[in-house]
Amino acid sequence: MPAALLPVRSTTLRLRGPFMHLTRRNLLATAASLAAVALASPGLAADPIKIGILIPGSKSDKGWMESGYDGLVAAQKANGDKIKVQVIENINYADMEQALTQLASANQLVIGVGGQTQAAVFKIAKRFPKTKFSIVGGNAGDSLPNVAGYDVKQAEIAFVAGAAAAMLSKTGAVSYVGGMEIPSIVNAGKEFGKGAKYINPDIKYFENYTGDFDNVAKSKEATLAAIAQGADVHYHILNLGLRGMEQAAKEKGTHIIGSYTNYCGTDPLYTAYSITGVGFQVRYAIDQIVAGTWAAGYKPFGLKMGPEASDIVVCSGTPEMKAKLDAIKADILAGRIKVLEG
């Protein structure tokens, strides 16, 4: 499988000198004493916590996977020698279980970046009960005592992105392209359309799914079809497939609301960005394991976890536009606007 691996350090303790003649009982007692000394000596650093990361797509996709990788880089910078990381990226779906098995065999925490890893994580986690697993993009449902699922709540911010798209559209038509047609991706698409109609009840909305987060040709085709019907602002949940949307928008002079990370000012194709905290959740999982507070179970993120977890940024938005979007976010948090799960 195509994989990028960071080596995992292994340490072997060899006994020499007087230790060679110790009885088993004395050896165990001496080992315990040495361990106690090590814990009490600030000069002796503990072994790093071994963390494995599965990034199914490309870490440079300008989307979900890149956001997850950026979170990993930030966590490495913050934790330094406290952690040792092994990464596998850009693999086929059929190879996911094998990749997770490799990571689980060598690490104390394994993070699956993407809801598409969830089924494989739950399968492998049963075989490695002493290894902890975190799923970035996990949904409520099955549970195991060694698995944490972090829900990014994409549908929440998709509603807000739809409202922003309606404000930005000059033609009164907007579009959405998703990858795999799974509940979280579909629900985000539905909420994007609802958010657009919240601002403009007469807006035209086009929704399409390519069946593949990375298929450039299909996402370009879907975007061109929407443009042909008048759409001038596009939203997405894609990985490398985003390249196809970019190609279509550039050719036809339309614009994109990006996902996951604020890159305002770097590309005129993008008029706004939604932040869905993929990297934030990767950092959260790592910070929790380092602090000793990691916990299994389902945990929703979304707007309630703050702007690093979920937000919208309009690159050249007016104060009035920001105020309206802030009010929509507040209404979602208060339950006055109800959105689908996902």
Side-chain angles (χ1 to χ4, degrees):
M1 75 186 76
L5 301 181
L6 298 179
V8 176
R9 185 176 70 183
S10 62
T11 304
T12 302
L13 176 64
R14 300 186 184 278
L15 299 176
R16 301 184 185 279
F19 291 112
M20 296 174 64
H21 304 290
L22 291 173
T23 65
R24 182 177 184 275
R25 179 180 297 177
N26 288 337
L27 179 58
L28 291 174
T30 303
S33 298
L34 288 173
V37 171
L39 289 173
S41 301
L44 296 177
D47 286 341
I49 297 171
K50 296 177 181 178
I51 299 170
I53 312 284
L54 176 60
I55 301 176
S58 169
K59 66 178 186 287
S60 57
D61 66 354
K62 294 173 70 175
W64 180 288
M65 302 299 163
E66 184 169 320
S67 176
Y69 182 75
D70 288 345
L72 169 61
V73 171
Q76 286 179 301
K77 186 175 181 179
N79 289 289
D81 293 339
K82 295 178 183 177
I83 62 174
K84 185 76 172 179
V85 176
Q86 179 185 12
V87 178
I88 297 178
E89 68 151 331
N90 210 15
I91 66 166
N92 296 322
Y93 187 82
D95 295 324
M96 203 168 289
E97 289 182 18
Q98 183 180 349
L100 286 167
T101 299
Q102 180 179 343
L103 293 173
S105 300
N107 296 285
Q108 295 153 270
L109 171 69
V110 174
I111 303 173
V113 182
Q116 63 267 50
T117 69
Q118 179 159 312
V121 164
F122 272 95
K123 185 174 181 178
I124 302 305
K126 293 175 183 177
R127 292 170 45 198
F128 294 89
K130 294 183 179 180
T131 301
K132 295 177 173 65
F133 295 81
S134 290
I135 305 165
V136 174
N139 297 314
D142 294 338
S143 64
L144 286 173
N146 60 331
V147 178
Y150 305 147
D151 189 347
V152 298
K153 308 288 284 185
Q154 291 181 104
E156 285 185 349
I157 204 62
F159 185 100
V160 186
M167 296 178 191
L168 292 166
S169 175
K170 293 179 171 57
T171 62
V174 298
S175 74
Y176 168 84
V177 178
M180 293 176 66
E181 201 166 351
I182 56 179
S184 60
I185 307 304
V186 172
N187 288 353
K190 299 298 182 189
E191 292 301 336
F192 178 78
K194 286 166 58 178
K197 290 183 180 296
Y198 185 84
I199 296 297
N200 177 6
D202 298 321
I203 201 164
K204 294 179 180 178
Y205 169 57
F206 307 101
E207 181 180 338
N208 208 318
Y209 300 88
T210 64
D212 186 338
F213 292 109
D214 297 312
N215 193 306
V216 174
K218 286 184 178 180
S219 61
K220 180 178 181 178
E221 180 183 352
T223 306
L224 286 172
I227 293 171
Q229 297 177 81
D232 65 341
V233 179
H234 320 291
Y235 189 57
H236 72 93
I237 296 183
L238 298 165
N239 295 334
L240 282 177
L242 177 58
R243 300 290 185 271
M245 178 175 281
E246 289 177 331
Q247 291 169 13
K250 190 170 184 178
E251 288 175 11
K252 300 298 182 179
T254 59
H255 293 90
I256 300 170
I257 294 179
S259 294
Y260 313 116
T261 305
N262 177 9
Y263 289 126
C264 276
T266 63
D267 189 334
L269 280 179
Y270 289 85
T271 54
Y273 290 90
S274 69
I275 298 166
T276 42
V278 177
F280 178 77
Q281 291 184 42
V282 171
R283 298 200 319 268
Y284 178 87
I286 294 173
D287 289 344
Q288 293 289 296
I289 198 74
V290 170
T293 56
W294 182 95
Y298 169 76
K299 182 176 179 61
F301 281 68
L303 290 168
K304 74 173 187 176
M305 291 291 282
E308 283 190 280
S310 187
D311 203 2
I312 188 81
V313 179
V314 179
C315 299
S316 297
T318 64
E320 292 77 16
M321 186 182 296
K322 183 180 185 304
K324 181 63 176 176
L325 294 173
D326 285 345
I328 290 171
K329 288 186 290 183
D331 284 345
I332 291 173
L333 281 170
R336 291 185 290 269
I337 295 176
K338 298 188 182 300
V339 300
L340 296 168
E341 291 297 323

